[in-house]
Amino acid sequence: MKRIENFYALFCFQVSVIRNLMKKNWRFNELQRSLDGISQKVLTDSLRQLCEDGIIFRKDYQTKPPKVEYGMTDLGKELLQVLKEMEKFGEYYKSL
């Protein structure tokens, strides 16, 4: 049961990360501040998984101090329609 709860929490944070990245590119600390309750580890794991899946990109500017930005890939941008449909379903479900 704990595994399911962990999966669900990570999934919810990943959707929140995707929602934010749909608007603009973000730096790590900006993202963390924008997502209430997310730990550094969970955000790092979420970003890493989304990068591996090709949904987001990670751009390292190779500067000191380090500057890294995250943004949506073309594949990730295709998720926008899926999320909009999920939102429509949620609104419909709440109206029942």
Side-chain angles (χ1 to χ4, degrees):
M1 186 65 160
K2 187 70 171 165
R3 234 177 234 236
I4 292 171
E5 290 171 6
N6 289 343
F7 172 79
Y8 179 73
L10 185 61
F11 174 76
C12 289
F13 281 123
Q14 285 181 343
V15 170
S16 297
V17 167
I18 290 168
R19 180 201 63 215
N20 284 8
L21 290 174
M22 287 286 184
K23 299 173 190 170
K24 66 174 191 158
N25 292 350
W26 294 70
R27 294 181 69 179
F28 183 89
N29 287 333
E30 291 175 319
L31 266 174
Q32 189 173 20
R33 285 191 297 269
S34 74
L35 300 168
D36 288 335
I38 193 167
S39 69
Q40 183 174 342
K41 181 189 181 332
V42 170
L43 180 55
T44 299
D45 290 347
S46 295
L47 291 170
R48 187 172 291 132
Q49 184 64 53
L50 291 167
C51 281
E52 288 174 9
D53 293 341
I55 305 299
I56 67 171
F57 66 83
R58 178 182 188 273
K59 180 170 180 164
D60 186 344
Y61 287 88
Q62 300 290 321
T63 61
K64 297 219 188 244
K67 180 181 176 185
V68 176
E69 284 185 347
Y70 296 91
M72 299 299 294
T73 63
D74 289 339
L75 175 64
K77 289 175 185 173
E78 292 183 28
L79 278 176
L80 183 58
Q81 288 304 319
V82 174
L83 295 176
K84 283 182 180 180
E85 290 300 316
M86 289 173 67
E87 181 181 31
K88 282 180 12 185
F89 175 77
E91 293 299 321
Y92 167 76
Y93 184 76
K94 285 194 301 189
S95 72
L96 297 178

